[in-house]
Amino acid sequence: MPAWPPGERPAVRLTGASKSFGSVVALRDASIDIHAGEAHALVGENGAGKSTLIKILAGAHRPDSGTLEIDGHPVEFSGTAAAKAAGIAVIYQEPTLFPDLTVAENIFIGRQPRTRFGLIDRARMNREASVLFDRLGVPLAPDRPARGLSIADQQVVEIAKAISLDARVLIMDEPTAALSGVEVDRLFAVTRSLRDDGAAVLFISHRFDEVEALCDRVTVMRDGARVSTDRLADVTIDQIVRRMVGRELGALFPKEDVDAGDVILKVDGLSREGAYRDVSFDVRAGEIVALAGLVGAGRSEVVQGIFGVDPRDSGSVQVDGQTLPPANPRAAMRAGVALVPEDRRQQGLLLDLSIIRNATLARRHRLSTLGFLIGGSERREAEEWTGRLQTRYGRLGDPAATLSGGNQQKVVLAKWLATGPKVLIVDEPTRGIDIGTKAEVHRLLSSLAADGVAIVMVSSELPEVLGMADRILVMREGRLSGELSRADATEESVMFLATGREAA
Amino acid sequence: MTVLARERDSEGGATSSTGSTLLDTVLRFRALGLLVVLAALVAVTAAVNPRFLSGSSIRDILLAASITLLLATGMTVVVLTRGIDLSVGSVLGLSAFCTAWLLSENPGVSIPVAMLVGLGIGAVCGLFNGSVVHFGRVPPLVATLGTLYVFRGVVYFVAGGSRINASDMPAGFLDFGSARVLGVPYLILISLVVLALVAVFLSRYRAGRDMYALGSSPEAAELAGIPAGRRKLTAYVLCGALAGLGGVLYAARYGTVDASAGYAMELDIVAAVVVGGVAIFGGSGSVLGAALGAFLLTVISNALPVLNIDQFWQRAIVGALIVGAIAVDRLVALRVAESLRKKGSHVG
Amino acid sequence: MSVEAGRQGRDGLHLSRFATWDVAIIVVTVVFLIFAVTSVQHFGTSQNATFLVLELAPILLLALPMTLIIVTGEIDLSVASTVGLTSSAMGVMWNSGVPLETIMPLCVVIGAVLGAVNGFFVTALGLPSLAVTIGTLALYRGLAFVLLGDTAVADFPRSHSSWTIGTIGETPIPNVLVPMIVLAGLFAAVLHAMPVGRAIFASGSNRVAAAFAGIPVAKLKFWLYVTSGAVAGLVGVFWTLRFSSARADNAHGLELTVVAAVLLGGVSIFGGKGTLPGVLAGVVLLSSLQNALRLANVSSEALTVVTGSLLIISVLAPNILGRVRGVLRRRLRRTHVPAPNP
Amino acid sequence: GGTTQDSQDDTDSGSDDSDAVADPDADYESGLSLAMLPKSVNNPYFETSSEAAAEVVDELGGDYEYTGPSDATASSQVSYINTVSQQGTDVILLSANDPNALCSSLEQARAAGTVVVTFDSDVDADCRDAFVSQVDDDAVGETLIEMAAEQIGGSGTVAILSATANATNQNAWIDVIEEQIETNPDYADIELAGVAYGDDEDEKSFQETQGLLQANPDLDAIISPTTVGIAAAARYLSSSDQQGEVALTGLGTPNQMREYVEDGTVTEFALWDPGELGELAVYTGAAIASNIITGAEGETFTAGDLGEYTVGEDGVVTLGPPARFNAENIDDYDF
Ligand SMILES: Nc1ncnc2c1ncn2[C@@H]1O[C@H](COP(=O)(O)OP(=O)(O)OP(=O)(O)O)[C@@H](O)[C@H]1O
Ligand SMILES: Nc1ncnc2c1ncn2[C@@H]1O[C@H](COP(=O)(O)OP(=O)(O)OP(=O)(O)O)[C@@H](O)[C@H]1O
Ligand SMILES: [Mg+2]
Ligand SMILES: [Mg+2]
């Protein structure tokens, strides 16, 4: 293996990039350089700014400051088309397909092969798509519409799209999150051959085995900035993880010890076709039960099924011995269940409505006098709860969209805490929020548990799971694969249950 | 690589190709459904009154359909990009009146020039709509509802109370309105040529495919680097230009033009497009479907008087047809989506 | 750094709170009324005020439920046809000897049923409301003609029809103003001061988040369509009595005027934004502008152009303002951020 | 059918509330303000009436205004009636879009002292001072069926292409035609195939003509008592195989029909002069406003060059029988 970095100039170099969305700072002085012929891993916690960084490379975001060089020449992308023209191909974290177009067209949109008269040569386009799919080892029909493709197949189309560009720089944001083993192997084979042909590859993943299998160098990001860049051979996974987190974890998880009370939430044999099957567990008063697992294991679906925002096929949910009707969130709320959803922007907030409205939406009936919401009851309630959660805002009448991500999360928490739940379900309660806020949220969960609330916490962050939970339920592929007590739980034991690799 | 992965694979392999034939069948079935309704309608009408299938009757229907067809073609392009153009009726009126006026003032103007003028007037209106929508970020419905009023007001201004009669226009132009080659009227030929061109544009040119992409997912279109502004402007200009051309044909066919030409036509055109299977939120549908929808609505409005059916039922039938068409479309789509979801899922 | 950015964001918002379109439209309306009263001859007379109220009554009534529906992100283009159909039904019932006291509530029920049909297609089947209500626009108008043909029924009792155009005692206050104010107050209360109003805004602002907060979005929309139909039925009765003429083509084309007035009042066609006072101002502005222009002998052509332009400007203006503000804010931020690396 | 106006007819008839006494020898007052409200502006027919009316008003030394909605609906007309009565206009000359819907606002206008004269299309006799009828309904109906009968040799199938079916005048004429066919022995061999409505829209009338011809293959004649309808029908026939075989007659303007008379599609049609109608409306209105007449039956007044007119039953002033136009005389007219 040649010495890194090799003598030549990097294919892509980003230096001093910063980017804010409103008051959320996603990147601060971030840098990366990727060389031709290398596969470069980019790792970091959720919200570290990885996706934002690659969106800048892709021309989808314009950095607030910083310079971008391609082959040593400074460039400024006016849009994704410019990045594409400069030879950068991107697979985004979320598939961005056109559901109404065929699979082949999705791959070649804007650069379909043409006949002499400028007409699109569909036959050739389909042939070329088939060749790509063969290369990836996936039997997708090129002329089927993208609508209805599974997440995995959508991801395959995205990969095919990126590969077909014959790009000099290939950027992949968690391309494997939804893929199965064969597809991942093929993807890696293709990627290696591209790399060996001189392409620069940037690879983002939360799976370290993949990073080890594919990459030559690794850059670690934390809080929007680069922490380190090393040859993978020179560092251990442990070191990388420490750099990702960057702090002593103890302070982050102020877990109080609580004696568990009676069973409050009882979930029995819950199933939904295509999402999860036969999920059963109990949660006691004062207990924090974590639902751990890989992304896509179906944890969100389970808690949404419990709360009733999604229909379920079979199984029952009881709160305090009382059975909840399926697909009826109102009944769940009446029984004392609260769900803080995982995607606060899509599921949690009315972004263009005021903080007051957001914070009191779930309590609108109880706050009314004689059916009318007058006399400032909503404002008082919003003031009280945002105050308790130390939310920072301009004025309560401002739209929720103006808040920083962490404060948005607090508003969603406030909305549900205000209902005085007996069962509090939090799905990724700290996703995308900063360390300080994280600690606050954890303190809050802990003290709620101390007050006798039964808490279900879905989290993809292992330290959070380990630091906060009394019990850990691990899900894999829609089923509960095991349960660990606080004492037995280690990163390894949880990961083993989550991935199914038997080691113990 | 992992156990997890292998398990998934064993189940996930079958997903891929099943959807294609299923969806294709459904799509074909839709067009087929329209054809069947059309055929049944023609058969019943002809059985009651054989004259319905006479040469002159068919010619009349084709003539009547030609203008609707033209406007539906333009509307389809706009709707595909997730827009709508409610001003087409007003644009048609403006173009019809201006062209007729031009011809009555200058009888020497040749027909192609007149057509270009109408086309140009429409294109300018379309450009205005497109600019308001794209640069002003005004929702298409609001923008074109506004220009529906504005353009009609302009027609009123231009026309005042005057009416341009057949006798004011050059005979050559009027003859063109009813003339035919090999028994086929010119007007329908023009519409069919335009239809064919737009159909080829939409299905075989990159810019045409971009229209679908824009309507299918604006976010993905942005990431894919599709020039949204240029495409949207193209769509509205095309729609306006075709409405303008429709105005010229209107003047030629009816010979009498006043300020009310094309009044309230927009809803008929939207209806034709929707019945023809074009999704009102963009991304899917074809001009051929829309043409079929336009043709079906024209045949209905021509067949019902021939059938001696109370003409008042006509509007109700058209309305029921619109709701029915989109409802059936949705039910079929839901079925397909559901079966694809179950087949496509890896878990369970 | 980030604190500073936050404060600027707030200042920007501070500005925008006072520049929201519904506030602007109310101010514009008041200013216009003052201007018209002082400088348009005959505009300020009490009789003209009466005429104005009668003229805008149907638009205002239909705009009330329309506002709620548009705030949820849907639309109902069939309202005017519903007015026509209930008017026809009223004529048919009256001709067959049904007493008016029975007819009037029945018409409201008919309207509600027609609204329920819209609601069913929109919520149960999830069809786009624009397409559905274009369809029922044609369907209901067609059925109106099927019922009554091109004939008119005109022999309604004088007492009823003169009530609709009459005034309270000797005052110039039209009788219909009372129910109008009551209904407007009711709708304003529902939208702005009652829990269901919060649910309406939530549904239009973010359907998914509304569902996650336990709001039955589909059910809510369904009942809004029913309400819209019922109000249209009421307007059908009013229209018929006011013109003493039950006809299938009553209120033809009124749907676009109603939508225009609602949008003018600052309601976003995408849902989640708007106020009822703004809409009331929109209705009053549209109608009084037309009234004043007519009194000033401006041609009906000009009225059409003014209506359309108002509609476009009402959306364009805040957009442009917003963009200008955005640019300014970015400039400001640039100056506060340390210069980017070379 | 269907319209039930009887209940109002027995309240009382003719002009009622004016207790002023007519002074037949008085002069037309000068300085009167008159407003003409057509069914809709942008209609050439009313434009012709208005031009002639404006000249007369000028001669009488009054103010004249031509205003109205751009859509021909009763509700928009109400707004304009309200507007002109607000403006204190002395006389409203109105062609009504609906016989009943305008009554309340007309009554309010009259209560404020405005004279209401309808022309071309009437409202309830209660709600106006006088109606200037283009022609006697009977005379129009009779002329129409007579022309049709002449052109088809006294026997055959006839269809009617009307405007909208609640246009008061259209229905009155159609009633007369139907009655004539049933009762007049001259028309015993004529059969009425049906009535189609073209809504006074060119395109619709065009399609309805086509529908009529297909629904009734042995149709011999079409009567279209509306200027829009007859022009559309003529246009259809002139380019169809049935040109010359199916007779077409009705009410049309010479300018619109000249072409079709020349090419043989149409033999003869009729109409009154809309300009004269406008003039007479002005004179009638001014006469009432000047107290020359009150609108009661039997009163007479002089309408300038048009000559002397007598107010008939229900306050109707009739212009005269319609003029017939054919190849011989059509070039003498220009409107
Ligand atoms: N469009 C946006 N508007 C506002 N904030 C945003 C936007 N996109 C990203 N952010 C915020 O920027 C921060 C960095 O987000 P980014 O998506 O880059 O993280 P990431 O490292 O890709 O995380 P993950 O591992 O979860 O994908 C987060 O706090 C996120 O909430
Ligand atoms: N929109 C969708 N269409 C098809 N399949 C989906 C969709 N969303 C999720 N899935 C599938 O449902 C399963 C469960 O996803 P879910 O988001 O519930 O996982 P999770 O365990 O909550 O993960 P995380 O919250 O970390 O993203 C996955 O197999 C995923 O591929
Ligand atoms: Mg990311
Ligand atoms: Mg999840």
Side-chain angles (χ1 to χ4, degrees):
Chain A
M1 209 187 256
W4 287 102
E8 10 137 4
R9 281 182 300 226
V12 182
R13 182 204 290 275
L14 180 70
T15 30
S18 52
K19 174 81 188 170
S20 312
F21 299 98
S23 49
V24 181
V25 180
L27 286 185
R28 55 188 97 215
D29 199 18
S31 305
I32 195 163
D33 55 285
I34 320 163
H35 290 256
E38 78 159 328
H40 194 125
L42 181 60
V43 297
E45 281 185 301
N46 280 329
K50 307 179 293 292
S51 298
T52 307
L53 186 143
I54 66 121
K55 280 189 179 161
I56 286 174
L57 298 183
H61 283 334
R62 262 193 229 205
D64 295 339
S65 64
T67 48
L68 178 61
E69 286 168 36
I70 304 284
D71 293 332
H73 305 294
V75 290
E76 230 176 278
F77 292 146
S78 55
T80 50
K84 231 183 201 179
I88 296 180
V90 183
I91 301 169
Y92 296 98
Q93 191 165 10
E94 307 297 335
T96 51
L97 296 184
F98 302 106
D100 299 297
L101 299 187
T102 69
V103 162
E105 242 179 338
N106 263 289
I107 295 176
F108 292 106
I109 185 77
R111 52 192 181 89
Q112 298 96 331
R114 291 190 286 196
T115 64
R116 242 173 306 151
F117 312 104
L119 291 174
I120 293 172
D121 189 344
R122 278 181 188 277
R124 203 173 114 204
M125 186 168 75
N126 288 341
R127 261 199 321 276
E128 289 181 12
S130 291
V131 170
L132 286 167
F133 290 141
D134 284 348
R135 225 169 132 190
L136 290 168
V138 186
L140 267 177
D143 61 345
R144 69 155 286 167
R147 189 183 297 286
L149 282 179
S150 70
I151 298 277
D153 289 338
Q154 289 182 38
Q155 197 60 267
V156 168
V157 177
E158 288 287 350
I159 293 167
K161 192 199 296 185
I163 291 176
S164 72
L165 280 166
D166 278 328
R168 294 175 25 250
V169 182
L170 175 62
I171 300 175
M172 302 188 281
D173 194 353
E174 302 197 32
T176 54
L179 293 189
S180 67
V182 176
E183 290 145 3
V184 171
D185 289 345
R186 295 277 187 136
L187 170 65
F188 283 6
V190 172
T191 310
R192 277 188 205 104
S193 79
L194 288 174
R195 177 195 62 186
D196 295 343
D197 292 347
V201 176
L202 182 63
F203 179 75
I204 299 176
S205 177
H206 290 294
R207 300 185 188 169
F208 289 107
D209 51 351
E210 290 176 0
V211 169
E212 281 185 303
L214 184 70
C215 298
D216 310 305
R217 285 201 300 164
V218 58
T219 292
V220 179
M221 282 187 75
R222 188 176 67 226
D223 293 342
R226 169 161 72 176
V227 177
S228 66
T229 301
D230 300 278
R231 290 183 61 185
L232 213 63
D234 300 342
V235 287
T236 64
I237 299 297
D238 268 355
Q239 284 172 304
I240 294 176
V241 171
R242 243 197 317 279
R243 286 176 192 165
M244 274 168 57
V245 180
R247 286 172 183 77
E248 291 302 315
L249 290 186
L252 255 180
F253 307 107
K255 175 78 179 95
E256 299 174 30
D257 278 329
V258 179
D259 288 329
D262 299 333
V263 171
I264 303 270
L265 174 69
K266 188 173 177 57
V267 178
D268 194 23
L270 216 59
S271 298
R272 177 166 196 225
E273 191 175 350
Y276 50 87
R277 169 169 294 188
D278 199 20
V279 173
S280 309
F281 61 89
D282 296 344
V283 185
R284 294 170 179 280
E287 220 182 5
I288 299 180
V289 172
L291 214 48
L294 294 180
V295 170
R299 297 160 300 165
S300 296
E301 259 92 346
V302 168
V303 292
Q304 285 166 21
I306 293 173
F307 189 60
V309 280
D310 280 347
R312 53 191 192 235
D313 295 339
S314 61
S316 74
V317 176
Q318 288 182 355
V319 175
D320 257 352
Q322 173 197 349
T323 306
L324 297 185
N328 189 344
R330 283 228 279 187
M333 284 165 68
R334 244 177 270 129
V337 185
L339 169 67
V340 177
E342 92 186 298
D343 183 344
R344 57 173 175 264
R345 295 178 81 87
Q346 299 298 324
Q347 303 166 332
L349 288 172
L350 313 165
L351 286 170
D352 43 6
L353 296 193
S354 70
I355 298 168
I356 300 184
R357 295 282 178 278
N358 274 285
T360 59
L361 185 63
R363 293 242 312 152
R364 60 191 188 284
H365 287 289
R366 263 185 275 169
L367 287 176
S368 61
T369 29
L370 301 172
F372 287 94
L373 287 162
I374 42 177
S377 56
E378 286 171 296
R379 174 171 290 273
R380 276 193 303 278
E381 175 100 348
E383 249 162 20
E384 182 193 334
W385 279 97
T386 50
R388 276 210 219 174
L389 293 174
Q390 298 166 38
T391 315
R392 284 157 51 120
Y393 53 83
R395 54 191 74 222
L396 279 174
D398 290 348
T402 62
L403 296 178
S404 77
N407 285 306
Q408 286 181 1
Q409 187 74 32
K410 286 187 192 172
V411 171
V412 183
L413 277 167
K415 168 165 87 176
W416 289 109
L417 293 184
T419 63
K422 281 187 254 176
V423 177
L424 175 65
I425 307 175
V426 288
D427 193 352
E428 308 284 3
T430 58
R431 173 175 282 182
I433 67 180
D434 61 61
I435 291 287
T437 313
K438 239 181 225 177
E440 273 176 50
V441 172
H442 292 154
R443 248 192 306 280
L444 191 85
L445 290 178
S446 185
S447 74
L448 280 170
D451 291 346
V453 178
I455 296 178
V456 178
M457 182 179 78
V458 177
S459 176
S460 300
E461 268 195 72
L462 268 185
E464 182 170 89
V465 168
L466 297 176
M468 292 301 297
D470 295 303
R471 265 191 301 142
I472 298 167
L473 302 169
V474 187
M475 278 192 77
R476 175 161 60 88
E477 287 182 67
R479 295 170 206 252
L480 280 182
S481 56
E483 179 179 332
L484 299 164
S485 70
R486 186 176 176 83
D488 299 341
T490 61
E491 291 212 12
E492 288 75 30
S493 59
V494 174
M495 282 317 288
F496 293 152
L497 280 171
T499 58
R501 226 180 347 192
E502 299 295 339
Chain B
M1 61 184 304
T2 56
V3 180
L4 154 88
R6 248 172 273 124
E7 275 170 14
R8 277 188 167 189
D9 185 49
S10 59
E11 284 174 274
T15 59
S16 320
S17 52
T18 44
S20 127
T21 46
L22 190 58
L23 212 73
D24 276 2
T25 319
V26 169
L27 291 178
R28 249 180 248 127
F29 169 80
R30 281 235 44 193
L32 211 72
L34 279 187
L35 278 176
V36 168
V37 173
L38 196 59
L41 191 66
V42 171
V44 169
T45 314
V48 174
N49 189 334
R51 277 185 156 222
F52 188 65
L53 285 184
S54 70
S56 74
S57 162
I58 291 179
R59 214 156 46 231
D60 289 331
I61 293 177
L62 289 180
L63 275 173
S66 59
I67 295 171
T68 324
L69 208 66
L70 215 49
L71 268 67
T73 304
M75 183 71 83
T76 304
V77 181
V78 170
V79 171
L80 280 179
T81 66
R82 224 175 247 205
I84 195 162
D85 186 352
L86 292 183
S87 72
V88 284
S90 302
V91 174
L92 181 138
L94 185 61
S95 152
F97 194 89
C98 291
T99 317
W101 178 76
L102 175 79
L103 285 164
S104 69
E105 296 291 303
N106 312 288
V109 171
S110 72
I111 292 172
V113 171
M115 285 171 66
L116 277 182
V117 168
L119 209 70
I121 291 172
V124 170
C125 294
L127 186 66
F128 184 76
N129 282 333
S131 307
V132 172
V133 168
H134 179 67
F135 298 112
R137 307 222 183 125
V138 178
L141 184 78
V142 182
T144 58
L145 180 58
T147 53
L148 177 154
Y149 288 118
V150 173
F151 295 156
R152 179 63 64 186
V154 173
V155 191
Y156 286 149
F157 267 126
V158 176
S162 63
R163 169 184 305 195
I164 295 179
N165 293 314
S167 54
D168 302 329
M169 281 186 259
F173 183 65
L174 298 173
D175 288 345
F176 160 76
S178 50
R180 23 190 140 125
V181 267
L182 303 173
V184 185
Y186 269 120
L187 299 198
I188 190 75
L189 279 183
I190 292 176
S191 294
L192 289 179
V193 167
V194 168
L195 176 71
L197 288 178
V198 175
V200 171
F201 167 73
L202 283 179
S203 67
R204 301 297 300 276
Y205 279 89
R206 288 179 180 174
R209 301 312 295 172
D210 285 355
M211 304 286 179
Y212 283 88
L214 265 180
S216 194
S217 168
E219 303 80 32
E222 203 193 320
L223 287 180
I226 288 171
R230 226 180 314 147
R231 297 290 180 260
K232 271 196 241 167
L233 286 180
T234 309
Y236 282 96
V237 168
L238 183 70
C239 184
L242 292 185
L245 184 59
V248 180
L249 303 197
Y250 183 100
R253 170 155 186 257
Y254 295 111
T256 310
V257 183
D258 62 19
S260 70
Y263 186 78
M265 201 169 190
E266 55 281 344
L267 293 186
D268 291 345
I269 303 299
V270 173
V273 167
V274 170
V275 168
V278 178
I280 197 80
F281 288 141
S284 120
S286 70
V287 276
L288 295 178
L292 213 54
F295 198 62
L296 182 64
L297 293 192
T298 312
V299 170
I300 288 178
S301 63
N302 279 271
L304 295 183
V306 175
L307 282 172
N308 261 332
I309 287 183
D310 187 332
Q311 57 158 326
F312 301 134
W313 275 102
Q314 181 175 325
R315 218 196 292 236
I317 291 175
V318 170
L321 195 77
I322 295 170
V323 178
I326 53 175
V328 168
D329 196 29
R330 167 55 57 102
L331 289 176
V332 170
L334 282 183
R335 282 274 163 80
V336 173
E338 183 65 9
S339 67
L340 285 179
R341 185 182 83 85
K342 293 210 163 146
K343 283 206 174 107
S345 60
H346 292 285
V347 187
Chain C
M1 186 34 245
S2 63
V3 174
E4 212 161 62
R7 211 176 40 225
Q8 274 154 24
R10 282 205 296 278
D11 285 348
L13 259 139
H14 188 82
L15 258 178
S16 76
R17 273 165 61 85
F18 291 98
T20 51
W21 187 251
D22 51 329
V23 176
I25 202 83
I26 292 172
V27 172
V28 168
T29 306
V30 171
V31 170
F32 175 76
L33 286 177
I34 293 171
F35 166 79
V37 166
T38 53
S39 46
V40 178
Q41 227 192 335
H42 310 298
F43 184 86
T45 65
S46 65
Q47 200 188 11
N48 191 56
T50 314
F51 288 151
L52 186 57
V53 169
L54 282 175
E55 212 170 289
L56 59 76
I59 303 173
L60 188 136
L61 290 176
L62 293 174
L64 298 176
M66 183 74 85
T67 302
L68 271 53
I69 287 181
I70 295 184
V71 168
T72 65
E74 305 288 349
I75 198 165
D76 184 358
L77 290 180
S78 73
V79 282
S81 296
T82 308
V83 172
L85 182 45
T86 43
S87 181
S88 277
M90 190 167 168
V92 169
M93 287 190 279
W94 177 246
N95 263 356
S96 51
V98 184
L100 217 46
E101 287 62 39
T102 317
I103 290 179
M104 295 201 277
L106 261 181
C107 282
V108 175
V109 171
I110 291 172
V113 170
L114 298 175
V117 172
N118 284 330
F120 170 79
F121 281 110
V122 172
T123 60
L125 293 184
L127 301 177
S129 54
L130 180 70
V132 168
T133 57
I134 282 182
T136 51
L137 175 150
L139 177 63
Y140 294 167
R141 186 65 71 184
L143 291 178
F145 276 101
V146 169
L147 272 187
L148 205 54
D150 266 339
T151 63
V153 177
D155 56 348
F156 295 100
R158 279 274 162 127
S159 57
H160 286 74
S161 48
S162 54
W163 184 88
T164 56
I165 55 165
T167 55
I168 301 171
E170 292 298 301
T171 64
I173 304 166
N175 291 326
V176 291
L177 193 61
V178 177
M180 273 164 66
I181 289 176
V182 169
L183 273 176
L186 194 68
F187 274 86
V190 164
L191 187 62
H192 296 299
M194 284 170 76
V196 63
R198 303 289 187 261
I200 289 171
F201 275 103
S203 308
S205 175
N206 183 345
R207 200 166 39 81
V208 178
F212 269 80
I215 293 165
V217 178
K219 209 158 105 187
L220 184 68
K221 285 182 182 170
F222 177 82
W223 285 108
L224 286 181
Y225 277 100
V226 172
T227 310
S228 174
V231 171
L234 190 68
V235 173
V237 173
F238 166 70
W239 192 288
T240 309
L241 291 179
R242 167 174 175 10
F243 294 111
S244 199
S245 171
R247 272 171 54 166
D249 67 348
N250 274 350
H252 187 259
L254 196 68
E255 63 278 344
L256 293 188
T257 315
V258 173
V259 171
V262 171
L263 297 179
L264 184 62
V267 177
S268 160
I269 190 78
F270 296 121
K273 273 192 201 125
T275 66
L276 216 77
V279 170
L280 298 185
V283 173
V284 172
L285 180 61
L286 204 61
S287 306
S288 59
L289 190 64
Q290 299 200 336
N291 180 296
L293 290 178
R294 264 201 310 271
L295 281 172
N297 288 337
V298 172
S299 65
S300 55
E301 294 88 65
L303 290 188
T304 315
V305 175
V306 167
T307 309
S309 311
L310 255 184
L311 190 56
I312 296 177
I313 291 169
S314 73
V315 183
L316 200 56
N319 276 0
I320 290 176
L321 273 183
R323 220 169 319 162
V324 168
R325 215 182 289 136
V327 169
L328 286 181
R329 208 179 300 159
R330 225 168 301 144
R331 288 258 169 85
L332 269 172
R333 185 182 295 159
R334 284 254 164 89
T335 59
H336 281 262
V337 171
N341 308 1
Chain D
T3 316
T4 34
Q5 303 162 4
D6 331 28
S7 61
Q8 280 162 15
D9 282 353
D10 46 34
T11 46
D12 68 358
S13 64
S15 66
D16 42 336
D17 52 353
S18 76
D19 37 23
V21 182
D23 173 11
D25 301 326
D27 283 332
Y28 286 106
E29 281 174 22
S30 66
L32 288 175
S33 56
L34 292 91
M36 180 179 279
L37 293 181
K39 285 184 176 172
S40 71
V41 292
N42 312 312
N43 182 331
Y45 172 90
F46 291 112
E47 206 104 320
T48 313
S49 298
S50 174
E51 277 161 27
E55 271 175 39
V56 175
V57 174
D58 215 36
E59 282 167 24
L60 294 179
D63 284 331
Y64 178 77
E65 203 201 323
Y66 179 68
T67 183
S70 42
D71 59 327
T73 65
S75 57
S76 339
Q77 233 172 359
V78 165
S79 306
Y80 280 89
I81 293 169
N82 289 346
T83 302
V84 293
S85 76
Q86 272 298 298
Q87 292 170 330
T89 306
D90 297 315
V91 181
I92 295 177
L93 309 172
L94 170 78
S95 174
N97 280 321
D98 186 298
N100 310 99
L102 308 176
C103 270
S104 59
S105 51
L106 289 178
E107 273 164 14
Q108 278 173 313
R110 290 173 75 202
T114 304
V115 172
V116 175
V117 172
T118 51
F119 71 102
D120 178 68
S121 177
D122 199 8
V123 294
D124 252 20
D126 287 351
C127 328
R128 43 82 175 155
D129 294 280
F131 170 52
V132 177
S133 172
Q134 47 275 61
V135 270
D136 184 16
D137 287 342
D138 291 338
V140 175
E142 282 158 18
T143 306
L144 289 173
I145 185 68
E146 192 181 309
M147 286 191 300
E150 280 170 11
Q151 291 176 26
I152 60 175
S155 75
T157 316
V158 176
I160 296 173
L161 175 66
S162 177
T164 61
N166 47 342
T168 327
N169 45 11
Q170 299 277 326
N171 286 342
W173 302 330
I174 293 170
D175 286 346
V176 173
I177 294 173
E178 283 171 351
E179 191 192 308
Q180 284 286 317
I181 290 175
E182 270 171 38
T183 58
N184 191 331
D186 292 350
Y187 309 135
D189 295 333
I190 292 181
E191 197 191 326
L192 185 63
V195 182
Y197 299 101
D199 287 350
D200 260 355
E201 283 171 27
D202 195 69
E203 184 179 351
K204 183 109 195 290
S205 307
F206 197 88
Q207 283 180 2
E208 289 297 330
T209 309
Q210 176 188 325
L212 275 179
L213 287 170
Q214 286 180 25
N216 309 285
D218 47 357
L219 197 67
D220 295 297
I222 294 176
I223 301 175
S224 182
T226 148
T227 55
V228 177
I230 194 173
R235 193 156 162 59
Y236 177 80
L237 280 176
S238 72
S239 63
S240 84
D241 306 337
Q242 282 113 324
Q243 181 185 19
E245 281 172 31
V246 176
L248 173 66
T249 187
L251 304 176
T253 72
N255 283 356
Q256 268 185 301
M257 302 303 291
R258 189 162 287 122
E259 190 187 344
Y260 307 112
V261 171
E262 278 163 14
D263 74 6
T265 311
V266 174
T267 313
E268 192 176 44
F269 63 97
L271 195 68
W272 51 90
D273 183 338
E276 287 182 359
L277 186 64
E279 286 176 34
L280 183 56
V282 171
Y283 280 116
T284 311
I288 296 174
S290 313
N291 248 341
I292 300 171
I293 56 173
T294 61
E297 188 171 353
E299 294 170 331
T300 59
F301 63 103
T302 308
D305 297 342
L306 294 175
E308 193 177 85
Y309 283 86
T310 308
V311 180
E313 197 187 341
D314 275 350
V316 177
V317 179
T318 306
L319 180 63
R324 296 199 196 184
F325 307 102
N326 49 42
E328 271 105 68
N329 68 359
I330 192 164
D331 289 331
D332 303 337
Y333 296 90
D334 182 24
F335 67 90

